Amino acid sequence: MSSLRLRGGRVIDPINGVDAVRDLGVRDGRIVELQAHEAVGEEIDASGCVVMAGGIDMHTHIGGGKINLARMLLPEDHRLNRDPIALPTNPLELASCGHCAPGTLATGYRYAEMGYTAAFEPAMMAANARHAHMEMGDVPILDHGAYVMLGSDELMLEMLSRGEDFQHIRDYVAWTIHAAKALGVKVVNPGGISAFKFNQRKLDVDENHVHWQVTPRKIVHTLAKALHELGVPHPLHIHGSNLGVAGNIESTLATIDALEGLPGHLTHIQFHAYGSEGPKKFSSAAQQLADAVNANANVSIDVGQIMFGRTVTASGDTMRQHANADLADPRKWVGADIECDAGCGVVPFRYREQSFVNALQWVIGLEIFLLVKDPWRVVLTTDHPNGAPFTSYPHLIRLLMDKGFRDEQLAKLPPEVVAASQLASITRELSLNEIAIMTRAGPARLLGLPDRGQLGTGAAADIAVYREHANRETMFTAPEHVFKDGVRVARAGRITATPTGGTHFVEPAYDRGIEKRVAAYADKHLAVSPRHMMIGRDELCRCGNGGRLLPAACFASVTS
């Protein structure tokens, strides 16, 4: 049996209410209670270090069609000037590179070097689920999972338009999750991807789809209710209407209202928190958004913070990506579709400090982090790569924890941006406990993963050991030690092992009679048979490169 003791570190474990100097024991990949003088295979002096659970990124585009298109669209992201980026010097690392859209191998290495042990793809198509699972399976070290896209697929819109029995729609949602081996459901611009194909260029929350005569409000409420009744732990993952549009705070508030108290997770909310005030008709609505989240305990968010510099935006929201294509930098973009049941757009972009809009977006994200009171309902993300690459997380953490540093960065922005924001007046600095919640404990709770994001007895031994440092960016860039299931995978920013991560998914129950309806629709409209869309457990294991299967339990259905 392999065993390990981390001695004398400051253990920060919000799920178990721990913030204290203590020892931490590991045996066979799990956290255990060790006796004071019990012999262990390895003992590590963690004094002067902060010990947290491994990081969990619950919204990062790491597998599937969109990110692969981004990689192919930007060969310059994988080379230095005209030359390929140098091969890794670590013999454990295979050749892989990229900054905005790194390859699968580099993705795993860079996450693990920062202390992250799990990452979740937020936009998987059922018809393309194998590809997504295979790409995630190619990412070393990290556990992973994905949310399947619904809400612009023609079968669901047809069922809603015809007023079909809700139970049939609920069974269709469950079948889709089960077939794709997803961990949850993502709705992207509800109904908007479909409406775009009918030449509709805008779809607000209470506006009818031009063909199906269904509103985004109805789509959001129906999907949220279905997931709640099915007992899927993760709430509906909502990419709302009017992403990036000035004044879209109104549609965001309407989306919260559409939930009618049901659980909902609003993703990359920074892109949905804009007012239309001021001379440029673009303003921060962070306070309105924060007030709404603070007042609605059923709502959680991730921020989608932007960082200045080059990146690439890769989204299932074809409607909005088409609208943004003229802003591409460099001047190229890709739009794509599979089975006419969803879509995607890939647009390279550079966020500039001296751009009023970009600078205010940066401000809005930070304001949201600091104005929402409950850290358990705020998840730290950049919507990789849309707001910035995930490798910018240590810099973001410093901005949130260090007001002096934050004010220095704010002073670099155009004066009219500083005058239009309240960021300078916000004195809050996040604590290490709050950072642990936003990057570990909170995501684990929101995803229904009880043995992750914590360091209690019996939990998975996913552990990051950070050397205390006044500069929090330095501290969170390269932990002293990172363990995945008790195996050291990184030490001081260098990969030491590359195990295969596991796959998280749920399998909600459903009436199999819905399969006849799905098959009839597919025979008439689709190229891929539902029989071929269904991924079995053995195949999922193969797609995941032989990694463990980690099914999450559904909670008791409210209809049972």
Side-chain angles (χ1 to χ4, degrees):
M1 295 188 297
S2 61
S3 58
L4 165 73
R5 179 184 286 110
L6 293 168
R7 180 167 45 81
R10 178 186 171 188
V11 177
I12 298 181
D13 180 13
I15 286 180
N16 294 296
V18 174
D19 183 351
V21 174
R22 59 168 59 179
D23 294 353
L24 193 69
V26 174
R27 182 182 296 117
D28 294 337
R30 293 279 164 177
I31 306 295
V32 297
E33 290 284 349
L34 293 175
Q35 300 301 314
H37 302 291
E38 185 175 345
V40 293
E42 182 179 9
E43 184 159 305
I44 295 173
D45 182 3
S47 57
C49 294
V50 172
V51 181
M52 296 182 178
I56 299 172
D57 195 340
M58 66 176 287
H59 186 109
T60 176
H61 297 279
I62 59 170
K66 293 189 304 301
I67 194 65
N68 222 27
L69 285 171
R71 292 168 181 143
M72 292 187 289
L73 183 66
L74 293 173
E76 58 268 41
D77 188 42
H78 297 259
R79 65 188 185 214
L80 186 63
N81 298 321
R82 296 185 178 182
D83 299 319
I85 293 174
L87 294 173
T89 58
N90 187 341
L92 288 174
E93 292 189 29
L94 299 176
S96 184
C97 56
H99 174 67
C100 306
T104 52
L105 302 177
T107 296
Y109 303 148
R110 303 295 86 81
Y111 262 119
E113 287 168 355
M114 296 192 306
Y116 276 73
T117 54
F120 294 86
E121 164 59 48
M124 174 176 68
M125 274 200 63
N128 197 40
R130 281 180 180 80
H131 176 202
H133 281 298
M134 291 178 74
E135 283 214 351
M136 290 186 292
D138 201 47
V139 174
I141 304 171
L142 303 182
D143 290 340
H144 53 266
Y147 322 134
V148 67
M149 290 172 64
L150 283 171
S152 268
D153 56 296
E154 302 301 312
L155 177 53
M156 180 178 172
L157 292 173
E158 180 181 318
M159 295 170 80
L160 283 172
S161 180
R162 293 181 175 179
E164 294 193 23
D165 193 317
F166 169 74
Q167 291 184 359
H168 295 164
I169 298 175
R170 186 184 66 201
D171 287 334
Y172 172 56
V173 171
W175 177 86
T176 305
I177 296 170
H178 188 87
K181 290 297 180 285
L183 187 61
V185 169
K186 168 88 170 290
V187 61
V188 176
N189 187 357
I193 306 172
S194 169
F196 179 78
K197 298 164 192 174
F198 289 91
N199 209 31
Q200 195 167 353
R201 293 297 179 258
K202 182 182 74 68
L203 185 62
D204 216 337
V205 178
D206 291 303
E207 185 177 358
N208 273 327
H209 185 298
V210 67
H211 177 75
W212 293 113
Q213 298 298 302
V214 173
T215 66
R217 179 182 292 273
K218 187 173 184 64
I219 295 168
V220 166
H221 183 79
T222 302
L223 285 171
K225 182 180 178 183
L227 291 173
H228 188 60
E229 291 196 3
L230 290 167
V232 174
H234 185 46
L236 178 62
H237 203 87
I238 306 169
H239 164 141
S241 308
N242 298 316
L243 178 142
V245 176
N248 64 11
I249 185 61
E250 298 303 326
S251 56
T252 301
L253 298 178
T255 300
I256 293 174
D257 182 65
L259 290 168
E260 297 181 12
L262 291 165
H265 180 85
L266 303 178
T267 191
H268 43 64
I269 199 64
Q270 177 277 137
F271 291 105
H272 303 268
Y274 304 153
S276 56
E277 300 174 353
K280 298 183 185 293
K281 306 300 182 186
F282 184 80
S283 59
S284 171
Q287 186 67 64
Q288 288 174 266
L289 186 280
D291 289 345
V293 174
N294 290 334
N296 290 274
N298 60 306
V299 173
S300 59
I301 62 172
D302 61 72
V303 174
Q305 178 69 35
I306 76 136
M307 293 293 188
F308 300 117
R310 184 177 296 284
T311 191
V312 57
T313 63
S315 173
D317 194 342
T318 322
M319 179 185 283
R320 296 310 315 152
Q321 290 295 76
H322 177 267
N324 292 331
D326 286 342
L327 302 175
D329 182 2
R331 297 280 293 177
K332 51 184 174 179
W333 78 289
V334 171
D337 196 357
I338 297 176
E339 293 281 25
C340 290
D341 262 359
C344 82
V346 180
V347 182
F349 196 79
R350 180 188 289 275
Y351 292 102
R352 293 176 168 85
E353 283 185 335
Q354 296 310 307
S355 160
F356 176 86
V357 170
N358 295 166
L360 196 54
Q361 288 176 306
W362 180 88
V363 165
I364 291 167
L366 296 177
E367 288 177 340
I368 292 170
F369 273 117
L370 299 167
L371 291 171
V372 174
K373 297 176 181 178
D374 182 2
W376 289 95
R377 294 190 288 126
V378 185
V379 178
L380 188 145
T381 68
T382 59
D383 185 20
H384 166 80
N386 292 295
F390 64 82
T391 47
S392 61
Y393 286 174
H395 183 73
L396 174 55
I397 290 171
R398 186 182 181 191
L399 288 168
L400 296 172
M401 296 190 71
D402 185 341
K403 176 170 169 53
F405 177 69
R406 188 165 69 232
D407 288 344
E408 289 176 8
Q409 305 310 302
L410 181 63
K412 298 177 182 179
L413 305 184
E416 58 268 31
V417 172
V418 179
S421 77
Q422 61 173 314
L423 185 60
S425 66
I426 299 176
T427 59
R428 182 181 178 189
E429 294 178 322
L430 297 189
S431 66
L432 284 169
N433 190 71
E434 288 172 318
I435 292 297
I437 293 170
M438 291 180 177
T439 59
R440 290 147 166 84
R445 181 175 288 182
L446 286 167
L447 294 171
L449 309 178
D451 65 341
R452 312 285 156 156
Q454 59 135 323
L455 297 173
T457 300
D462 296 349
I463 307 167
V465 182
Y466 298 96
R467 176 69 58 187
E468 269 277 17
H469 198 289
N471 183 327
R472 299 307 193 184
E473 184 171 353
T474 299
M475 175 177 170
F476 282 95
T477 295
E480 290 286 304
H481 305 275
V482 182
F483 297 91
K484 179 76 191 78
D485 294 314
V487 175
R488 184 189 286 106
V489 294
R491 183 166 188 173
R494 186 172 176 86
I495 296 298
T496 57
T498 57
T500 300
T503 304
H504 293 281
F505 61 100
V506 290
E507 293 178 313
Y510 64 94
D511 184 340
R512 296 195 61 177
I514 194 64
E515 294 176 357
K516 294 181 180 178
R517 177 65 191 280
V518 176
Y521 172 82
D523 287 344
K524 186 175 181 180
H525 297 288
L526 304 181
V528 179
S529 164
R531 291 181 291 106
H532 298 149
M533 290 170 65
M534 181 71 73
I535 300 174
R537 286 196 171 197
D538 288 346
E539 185 179 7
L540 182 64
C541 183
R542 292 194 297 273
C543 288
N545 204 21
R548 291 184 303 153
L549 301 185
L550 303 168
C554 291
F555 56 79
S557 170
V558 297
T559 60
S560 62

